[in-house]
Amino acid sequence: APNIVLIAKAFRQQFIIPDFSSFVKDIEEIYNRCKVNTSGKIADYIPQLTRYCPESWGVSICTVDGQRFSIGDVEEPFTLQSCSKPLTYAIALEKLGPKVVHSYVGQEPSGRNFNELVLDQNKKPHNPMINAGAILTCSLMNALVKPDMTSAEIFDYTMSWFKRLSGGEYIGFNNAVFLSEREAADRNYALGFYMRENKCFPKRTNLKEVMDYYFQCCAMETNCEAMSVIAASMANGGICPTTEEKVFRPEVIRDVLSIMHSCGTYDYSGQFAFKVGLPAKSGVSGGMMLVIPNVMGIFAWSPPLDDLGNTVRGLQFCEELVNTFNFHRYDNLKHLSNKKDP
Amino acid sequence: APNIVLIAKAFRQQFIIPDFSSFVKDIEEIYNRCKVNTSGKIADYIPQLTRYCPESWGVSICTVDGQRFSIGDVEEPFTLQSCSKPLTYAIALEKLGPKVVHSYVGQEPSGRNFNELVLDQNKKPHNPMINAGAILTCSLMNALVKPDMTSAEIFDYTMSWFKRLSGGEYIGFNNAVFLSEREAADRNYALGFYMRENKCFPKRTNLKEVMDYYFQCCAMETNCEAMSVIAASMANGGICPTTEEKVFRPEVIRDVLSIMHSCGTYDYSGQFAFKVGLPAKSGVSGGMMLVIPNVMGIFAWSPPLDDLGNTVRGLQFCEELVNTFNFHRYDNLKHLSNKKDP
Amino acid sequence: APNIVLIAKAFRQQFIIPDFSSFVKDIEEIYNRCKVNTSGKIADYIPQLTRYCPESWGVSICTVDGQRFSIGDVEEPFTLQSCSKPLTYAIALEKLGPKVVHSYVGQEPSGRNFNELVLDQNKKPHNPMINAGAILTCSLMNALVKPDMTSAEIFDYTMSWFKRLSGGEYIGFNNAVFLSEREAADRNYALGFYMRENKCFPKRTNLKEVMDYYFQCCAMETNCEAMSVIAASMANGGICPTTEEKVFRPEVIRDVLSIMHSCGTYDYSGQFAFKVGLPAKSGVSGGMMLVIPNVMGIFAWSPPLDDLGNTVRGLQFCEELVNTFNFHRYDNLKHLSNKKDP
Amino acid sequence: APNIVLIAKAFRQQFIIPDFSSFVKDIEEIYNRCKVNTSGKIADYIPQLTRYCPESWGVSICTVDGQRFSIGDVEEPFTLQSCSKPLTYAIALEKLGPKVVHSYVGQEPSGRNFNELVLDQNKKPHNPMINAGAILTCSLMNALVKPDMTSAEIFDYTMSWFKRLSGGEYIGFNNAVFLSEREAADRNYALGFYMRENKCFPKRTNLKEVMDYYFQCCAMETNCEAMSVIAASMANGGICPTTEEKVFRPEVIRDVLSIMHSCGTYDYSGQFAFKVGLPAKSGVSGGMMLVIPNVMGIFAWSPPLDDLGNTVRGLQFCEELVNTFNFHRYDNLKHLSNKKDP
C-alpha cells in the first residue's frame, strides 16, 4: 500500500522536499499575497461560468513522494475546460505513440490566438493545446484508439484514465456546462468544419460525435485536490504518487510536458516559458495546473481571468513561486544564490 | 588558477560526469554515426560560405567543471553567423536588464519564418533569435549600452565579451564574409527599414551603423573548441569553467537559455524543443551550440544544412545524444530506465 | 405586349445593334474558335457536377431591345451556383437599400481566395460575390426581407424574382445538387459558424435555415437562353427587355454591376476587369453571365473550368468579344479604330 | 492649331457638353458645398507638406474637346505625389507594352494597405498604383525603357511626357520635397529591398537610382489647371485636347484607366469604384484626378486628407458630381431619370 511507501521514505528522510513545513510556510505567504489581487474578469461566454464567486481561491500541492498541502477553496468543484487537453493528449500518445499522433497534429506554438482559424504549413493544427488540436486529439480517440466504442463508452473510458491519474479522487461531470458549451461553440464548429474540409481527421471520423466528446472533456468536473495529484503524476513520470500506479509511460509524460511548456497558457505561453520556465496548463474556468518535474504537482484555482484567459491569481502564484524557489527550468543550481532550494 | 580547481575536483572525484571516459566512448559512436550522413546542402547565398568542405565535421564538449573532449575538425575556423545572436542578447541583458531589453523585443516564437517581414502585436520583433530581433539587440548595444563608443570600439567591446566567455580561446573576424553578408542582405535591410518606420529602435539609432555591427557579429570567426567553452559557460550559469571568471549573472543566462529553448533552431525550434528538449542555437555556417544546464556545453559543426537551415549532422547529433542519455528537459529522472545517466 | 415594342423599334430602325446579322456572324466565329478549346476540368466536388459533358458549349445573347441570338447547347439545364449571388444581392438591395445591406457586407475585392476564412477590417465579409458574403445576403433575406416567411415561402419568393428577371423563361430546381452541396459544404459551414461567432448576421438568424437557403439558391436550375434575358435585364437598368417589366430599380442594378465588375470571376476578377472591363459573374457549373450596360446581356455555358474555377470557353469568349468590339469599359469611343462598333 | 478645332466644333455645336454654362453652374454649387467642409488633416510625414493652407481648394475641368472651367486655388503649385503613378505607368505601357510591364507587376487590388510589405502570389507587387508597384514601374523605366540614360536624362524624359500630356502647362519640380521624401522613406526602402530580395526588378536595376527616380516623380510640381488637361488627355484616349497631340495610344489609356478604376484611391478604392464608378487617382498632397472617359478630365485639390489619405473635399466633390450627373460607370443611360445628362 502507498502508505507504507510514504512512511518508509519518511523514516529514511528521503523526501524530495526535506523540510516540508517550512516550504509550506512560504507557500502560504504566496497564497495570501495572491488572495488580495482582485483584478481579472470571470469568463462569461456561457452562463454557468459566470456563477463562480470571484473570491474563490485555492491551491493544492502534491509532491512526487505523496506529501500534500492544500489551502483555500480546494474542494470546490469546477470544470476542467482546457486543463483536459493535456490529459486526452496523453491518452492518445499512450495508445497510439507520438508518430501516429503527430502525423495529425503539430508540436509547435502557433504564434497566433489560441482559437485562430488557421492550420500550420502541413495543414495540421499547430499543437494539441489549442482548440483545433484538442478537437483533433478527440477525433483520434474516437476513430483510432477506441473505434468500436459507443459515445458513452468512450466517455467512461476517458474518465477512468483521469480518475487513475488522480489516484481515485473526485472527477465528475457537469452536464449544464456541457450543454452550454455545445450551444455557444461557433468558433469550435468553424474549426471542426474547416479541419474536415482540409482532411485533418482520420477516416471514419464522425464530426458531430467528436465535437460532443470534446465538449464533454471540457465539462468534466474536479477540484484542486484531485488536480494536484494529476499534476504530481505528471511530475512523477506518469506514476501516481498516492497509489504508485503506472498510469502513463515516462516517454508520454515527457512529450506532454514539452508541449505544456511551450503552449500551455494561451497567448501568454511565450512569456510564461520565459518567466516561469515550467510546464503548465490553464483553463477558462480559472484553473492552472503546474508541473515541477521530478518534484511536485501544483493546482491553483481562481475564476477571475486576465485578458488572455489565464487565471489572474494562478498566474501570480506561479510567478511568485519561481521568484522564491529555484524551480525555473533554467535556474542555475549552483550559482543563483538568492533563491531558495527547498 | 583553473588547473588547481580541476585537479582538486578530480582528486575528490566530484565531477559532474563521473565516468568521463565511458561517456566519451558513447559520444564517439554518435559522432561516427553522424559522419556517414551526407545529406544537406551548404549555404550558398554568399560565395564565402560555399567554399566549406561538406565533409567537415567536428564536435567539442566542455563540462561545467572543465572536462573536455574533442573529435573531428574542431580547430577549423568558421563564422559565428546566428550563433552570435544569444551572445549579443546576453550582453544587452547583462548591461540593461530584461525590463529594458524586452521593452524593445519580445520573447516568443513567431510561428513564422525566421526572417519574415513581420512584427508582433506590440510592433516589436518577436524574439532576439530571429534576424529582426538580433538587429534590434544590436541597436540596443549601439544606442544604450555604449552610446559613446565608435563603431570600432563597440566591435572590440563585443569581441572581448565573447573572448571572456570562451576562456580566451580563438575568436577572430572574417572580413570577406562581413563584406559579402552586407552585400547580400536585402531582406535584412528591408527588416531594418521596416523596424525604423515602426519606431522599434531606441532614439539616436544610426541604422547604417547598426546593420554593419550586426553583419560584423555574424562574421566573427571561431572554432568548435572555443565555442564548446562558450556553451559550457552558459551551462554553468555564466561562469567560464576553464577560467572560473563570472562573465554573466545567472539570471542573464536563465533568460538566454529560455529563449534558445523555444527559438534556437529557426523553423525547427518547436520540434527541437519537443524532441531534444534543450537550449540550442544553430547558424547558417553549420554550427550548433547545445547547452545542457548544470552539466556541459557542446558545439557541433558541419556545413551541410537541411531545408530549414540547421546543420544536418549537428541536428542528428543532438537527437541521438538525447536518445542515449537522460538529457531531455522532461526526461523523468527516476522512471525512464532505458536511457543512460552519465 | 413586348412584341409590339420590338416591332415598332424594328420599323424605326432604332435597335442598339443596327446590323444584328453581321454582329451575329462575328459571334458565331468567336463561338467556333472557343469550341475547339478542350482545356479545363469539370468541377468534381459533388458527383452531380461531374456528369456534365465536357463538350457542352452554348452562348445566348439578348439585347436591351430584345433582339436575341443563341448557338450551341443553349437549352441544356444546369444549376446556377455562384451566378445566383448577384441575383439574391439585387433582391436584398431592392428591398432593404444599399445602406442596410452594406452595413452587413463590404463592397471590395478581398485580395484572397473566394472562400477564404477571413473577414474584412470591420468584421464583415468582403463583398456579396464571395461565399461568405452570399451566405450573409441570404441571412438578410431570411431575417430582414421576409422574416415571417417559412423556408418554403422564401424559396418560392426568390424563384419568382429570378423568373420575372428572365421574362418567364426556365428557372427550375435540382434537388440532387442541393442535397449534395449541403453534404459537401465543410468550408461553407465553417464560414457560417465563423460569421455567427463574429456576430455578422442580423438578429434572429437561424443559421441552419440560412445555409439551406444558400444551397437552394445555388441549386436552382436554368439554361443559357433564360440567363441571357436575366443578363439583358441587368444591361437594361433592371427592366426585362422581353416583357418590359420593371423588376429592379436602376440604382440597384448600378450597385450590382459595380460589384460584378470588381469581384465577379473569383480570383481572376482583377485580371478580368483589366482585360475585359465588363461586369460578369461565373459559376462552378460552367456558367458565365456577361453584362454590356445599355447594350446587351450574354450568357455562355461550358462545364470545363480553369484552375481558378471559371469556365474556360466562357472566359475565352469574353476576351475575344472585347478584342473584336469596343465593349471594354475603357475603350475610347473615338480613337480606337481597330475595333468594331457594332 | 487647336484653337481652330475648338472654334470649328463650337460653330457646329458638337461639344460633348452642349450646354456648358449650365453645367458650370452645377459645378460651382458642388464646389461651394465642398468648400465649407473643414474636416480632414494635412499630411505631416514631411515638413514641406504641413505648410499647405487647409483652406486651399481648387477645381479645374477640361472636356475632351477642350472646353475649360476653373474655380478656386487652381494655380497654386503642389507636388504630384501618387498622382504621378498612373503617368509613369502609362509611359512604361507605351514603350514596353502590357505583356512586358505585367510580367513584373500585377493588375489587381491588394485587399491590403497601400504600402503593405506584401507581394502577390506570383511574388510581384499587386498593381502599379501602390507604392511597391510604382517603384517597380520606375525600375522598368530605368532598366528597360531607357537603360542608357543618366539619372538626369531620365528625369527630363519623364517630365517631357508629363508636359506633353498637359498640353505644355505648368510641370515643375520641388527639390525640398524630393529631399524630404527621400529622408522619410523607411517603408519605401523596406519595400525596395524586399522586392530586390524577391528578384522583382529587371536585371541591371540600380536600386538607389530607382528609389531616387521614384521620389523625384512624386516631387514633380504642378497645379489644378495643368492636371485637368492631363486628366482630359486620358478621357480622350491619350490625345491632348488642347494640342491635339497623340501622346499615348488608346490601348495604353484603357489599361491605365482600368487600374485607376479599381486601385486609385488607396484603401477607399473598393468603395470609390462602388459609389463613384470612375477612374481616379488621389495623392497625399491633396490632389484628386478624375477621368470621365470620352467626356472630360477633372482635377480637384485641397490638402486636408481623411484617414485613408484621400483629399476630403476632392472626394466629396467626386461623390456629389456622380449624384448629380449620370457619370457613374453603371448608371443606366435610359432609365435613371433623377440624374442630369449634361
Side-chain angles (χ1 to χ4, degrees), chain D residues 214-243:
Chain D
Y214 171 76
F215 298 129
Q216 284 161 12
C217 290
C218 291
M220 284 201 200
E221 205 169 68
T222 184
N223 60 33
C224 273
E225 296 219 330
M227 286 307 289
S228 73
V229 181
I230 286 183
S233 298
M234 291 193 165
N236 199 33
I239 299 175
C240 176
T242 65
T243 64

Short mmCIF file of all heavy atoms in Angstrom, two decimals, chain D residues 214-243:
data_model
loop_
_atom_site.label_atom_id
_atom_site.label_comp_id
_atom_site.label_asym_id
_atom_site.label_seq_id
_atom_site.Cartn_x
_atom_site.Cartn_y
_atom_site.Cartn_z
N TYR D 214 11.94 57.45 -58.23
CA TYR D 214 10.57 57.37 -57.68
C TYR D 214 10.25 58.62 -56.85
O TYR D 214 9.18 59.23 -57.02
CB TYR D 214 10.43 56.10 -56.84
CG TYR D 214 9.15 56.03 -56.06
CD1 TYR D 214 7.94 55.72 -56.68
CD2 TYR D 214 9.12 56.28 -54.69
CE1 TYR D 214 6.74 55.66 -55.97
CE2 TYR D 214 7.93 56.23 -53.97
CZ TYR D 214 6.76 55.92 -54.61
OH TYR D 214 5.58 55.87 -53.91
N PHE D 215 11.16 59.01 -55.97
CA PHE D 215 10.91 60.19 -55.15
C PHE D 215 10.83 61.45 -56.01
O PHE D 215 10.08 62.38 -55.71
CB PHE D 215 11.99 60.35 -54.07
CG PHE D 215 12.05 59.20 -53.12
CD1 PHE D 215 13.24 58.54 -52.85
CD2 PHE D 215 10.90 58.75 -52.49
CE1 PHE D 215 13.28 57.47 -51.96
CE2 PHE D 215 10.93 57.67 -51.60
CZ PHE D 215 12.12 57.03 -51.35
N GLN D 216 11.62 61.48 -57.09
CA GLN D 216 11.58 62.64 -57.97
C GLN D 216 10.23 62.75 -58.68
O GLN D 216 9.68 63.85 -58.82
CB GLN D 216 12.71 62.56 -59.01
CG GLN D 216 14.07 62.91 -58.43
CD GLN D 216 15.20 62.39 -59.29
OE1 GLN D 216 14.98 61.96 -60.42
NE2 GLN D 216 16.40 62.42 -58.75
N CYS D 217 9.69 61.63 -59.12
CA CYS D 217 8.37 61.66 -59.76
C CYS D 217 7.33 62.20 -58.78
O CYS D 217 6.45 62.99 -59.13
CB CYS D 217 7.97 60.27 -60.24
SG CYS D 217 8.96 59.71 -61.63
N CYS D 218 7.43 61.74 -57.52
CA CYS D 218 6.49 62.20 -56.50
C CYS D 218 6.64 63.71 -56.26
O CYS D 218 5.69 64.37 -55.86
CB CYS D 218 6.71 61.45 -55.19
SG CYS D 218 6.24 59.72 -55.28
N ALA D 219 7.85 64.22 -56.45
CA ALA D 219 8.14 65.61 -56.10
C ALA D 219 7.96 66.57 -57.27
O ALA D 219 8.26 67.75 -57.15
CB ALA D 219 9.56 65.72 -55.53
N MET D 220 7.49 66.06 -58.41
CA MET D 220 7.20 66.99 -59.50
C MET D 220 6.05 67.89 -59.07
O MET D 220 5.15 67.47 -58.35
CB MET D 220 6.81 66.21 -60.76
CG MET D 220 8.04 65.60 -61.42
SD MET D 220 7.68 65.24 -63.13
CE MET D 220 8.96 64.02 -63.45
N GLU D 221 6.11 69.13 -59.56
CA GLU D 221 5.15 70.12 -59.09
C GLU D 221 4.23 70.52 -60.24
O GLU D 221 4.64 70.55 -61.41
CB GLU D 221 5.91 71.34 -58.59
CG GLU D 221 5.14 72.15 -57.58
CD GLU D 221 6.04 73.17 -56.92
OE1 GLU D 221 6.47 74.10 -57.62
OE2 GLU D 221 6.31 73.03 -55.73
N THR D 222 3.00 70.83 -59.92
CA THR D 222 2.03 71.17 -60.96
C THR D 222 0.92 71.98 -60.31
O THR D 222 1.04 72.41 -59.17
CB THR D 222 1.49 69.89 -61.61
OG1 THR D 222 0.61 70.24 -62.67
CG2 THR D 222 0.76 69.02 -60.60
N ASN D 223 -0.17 72.22 -61.05
CA ASN D 223 -1.33 72.85 -60.43
C ASN D 223 -2.61 72.27 -61.02
O ASN D 223 -2.56 71.43 -61.93
CB ASN D 223 -1.27 74.38 -60.60
CG ASN D 223 -1.26 74.78 -62.06
OD1 ASN D 223 -1.86 74.11 -62.92
ND2 ASN D 223 -0.60 75.88 -62.38
N CYS D 224 -3.74 72.70 -60.52
CA CYS D 224 -5.02 72.12 -60.93
C CYS D 224 -5.25 72.25 -62.43
O CYS D 224 -5.72 71.30 -63.07
CB CYS D 224 -6.16 72.82 -60.21
SG CYS D 224 -6.55 72.13 -58.61
N GLU D 225 -4.94 73.40 -62.97
CA GLU D 225 -5.22 73.64 -64.39
C GLU D 225 -4.47 72.64 -65.26
O GLU D 225 -5.04 72.00 -66.14
CB GLU D 225 -4.84 75.07 -64.76
CG GLU D 225 -5.68 76.10 -64.02
CD GLU D 225 -6.04 77.28 -64.91
OE1 GLU D 225 -5.27 77.61 -65.82
OE2 GLU D 225 -7.13 77.86 -64.69
N ALA D 226 -3.17 72.53 -65.01
CA ALA D 226 -2.37 71.61 -65.82
C ALA D 226 -2.88 70.18 -65.68
O ALA D 226 -3.00 69.44 -66.65
CB ALA D 226 -0.90 71.71 -65.40
N MET D 227 -3.19 69.82 -64.43
CA MET D 227 -3.61 68.44 -64.19
C MET D 227 -4.95 68.13 -64.84
O MET D 227 -5.22 66.99 -65.21
CB MET D 227 -3.66 68.16 -62.69
CG MET D 227 -2.30 68.02 -62.03
SD MET D 227 -1.18 66.81 -62.81
CE MET D 227 -1.97 65.26 -62.37
N SER D 228 -5.81 69.14 -64.95
CA SER D 228 -7.11 68.86 -65.59
C SER D 228 -6.91 68.56 -67.07
O SER D 228 -7.66 67.76 -67.65
CB SER D 228 -8.07 70.04 -65.39
OG SER D 228 -7.68 71.14 -66.20
N VAL D 229 -5.91 69.16 -67.68
CA VAL D 229 -5.63 68.82 -69.09
C VAL D 229 -5.08 67.39 -69.18
O VAL D 229 -5.45 66.62 -70.07
CB VAL D 229 -4.63 69.83 -69.71
CG1 VAL D 229 -4.37 69.46 -71.18
CG2 VAL D 229 -5.17 71.25 -69.61
N ILE D 230 -4.22 67.03 -68.23
CA ILE D 230 -3.71 65.66 -68.22
C ILE D 230 -4.87 64.67 -68.08
O ILE D 230 -4.96 63.67 -68.80
CB ILE D 230 -2.68 65.49 -67.07
CG1 ILE D 230 -1.36 66.19 -67.47
CG2 ILE D 230 -2.45 64.03 -66.75
CD1 ILE D 230 -0.23 66.05 -66.47
N ALA D 231 -5.78 64.96 -67.15
CA ALA D 231 -6.95 64.08 -66.98
C ALA D 231 -7.79 64.04 -68.25
O ALA D 231 -8.31 62.98 -68.63
CB ALA D 231 -7.79 64.55 -65.78
N ALA D 232 -7.90 65.19 -68.91
CA ALA D 232 -8.69 65.23 -70.14
C ALA D 232 -8.02 64.43 -71.26
O ALA D 232 -8.68 63.78 -72.07
CB ALA D 232 -8.89 66.68 -70.58
N SER D 233 -6.69 64.46 -71.29
CA SER D 233 -5.97 63.66 -72.29
C SER D 233 -6.28 62.17 -72.08
O SER D 233 -6.39 61.40 -73.03
CB SER D 233 -4.46 63.89 -72.18
OG SER D 233 -4.14 65.23 -72.42
N MET D 234 -6.43 61.80 -70.83
CA MET D 234 -6.79 60.41 -70.54
C MET D 234 -8.24 60.13 -70.94
O MET D 234 -8.54 59.08 -71.48
CB MET D 234 -6.59 60.14 -69.06
CG MET D 234 -5.12 60.13 -68.68
SD MET D 234 -4.95 59.44 -67.04
CE MET D 234 -3.18 59.14 -67.05
N ALA D 235 -9.10 61.06 -70.65
CA ALA D 235 -10.50 60.89 -71.06
C ALA D 235 -10.61 60.79 -72.57
O ALA D 235 -11.53 60.17 -73.11
CB ALA D 235 -11.34 62.05 -70.54
N ASN D 236 -9.63 61.37 -73.24
CA ASN D 236 -9.68 61.49 -74.70
C ASN D 236 -8.81 60.43 -75.40
O ASN D 236 -8.36 60.63 -76.52
CB ASN D 236 -9.21 62.90 -75.10
CG ASN D 236 -9.64 63.27 -76.50
OD1 ASN D 236 -10.70 62.85 -76.97
ND2 ASN D 236 -8.80 64.05 -77.19
N GLY D 237 -8.59 59.31 -74.73
CA GLY D 237 -7.86 58.21 -75.38
C GLY D 237 -6.39 58.49 -75.61
O GLY D 237 -5.78 57.89 -76.50
N GLY D 238 -5.83 59.40 -74.84
CA GLY D 238 -4.39 59.65 -74.95
C GLY D 238 -4.03 60.84 -75.82
O GLY D 238 -2.86 61.16 -76.00
N ILE D 239 -5.04 61.49 -76.36
CA ILE D 239 -4.80 62.66 -77.22
C ILE D 239 -5.09 63.93 -76.43
O ILE D 239 -6.18 64.09 -75.89
CB ILE D 239 -5.71 62.61 -78.46
CG1 ILE D 239 -5.39 61.34 -79.26
CG2 ILE D 239 -5.55 63.87 -79.31
CD1 ILE D 239 -6.31 61.13 -80.45
N CYS D 240 -4.11 64.81 -76.36
CA CYS D 240 -4.28 66.02 -75.58
C CYS D 240 -5.35 66.90 -76.23
O CYS D 240 -5.22 67.25 -77.42
CB CYS D 240 -2.96 66.78 -75.48
SG CYS D 240 -3.16 68.35 -74.62
N PRO D 241 -6.40 67.27 -75.53
CA PRO D 241 -7.48 68.03 -76.16
C PRO D 241 -7.10 69.47 -76.49
O PRO D 241 -7.73 70.08 -77.35
CB PRO D 241 -8.59 68.00 -75.11
CG PRO D 241 -7.93 67.72 -73.83
CD PRO D 241 -6.67 66.96 -74.14
N THR D 242 -6.06 70.00 -75.88
CA THR D 242 -5.72 71.40 -76.18
C THR D 242 -4.71 71.50 -77.31
O THR D 242 -4.61 72.52 -77.96
CB THR D 242 -5.19 72.13 -74.92
OG1 THR D 242 -3.96 71.54 -74.54
CG2 THR D 242 -6.19 72.06 -73.79
N THR D 243 -3.92 70.44 -77.52
CA THR D 243 -2.92 70.49 -78.60
C THR D 243 -3.21 69.49 -79.71
O THR D 243 -2.56 69.50 -80.74
CB THR D 243 -1.52 70.16 -78.05
OG1 THR D 243 -1.54 68.82 -77.57
CG2 THR D 243 -1.11 71.12 -76.95
#
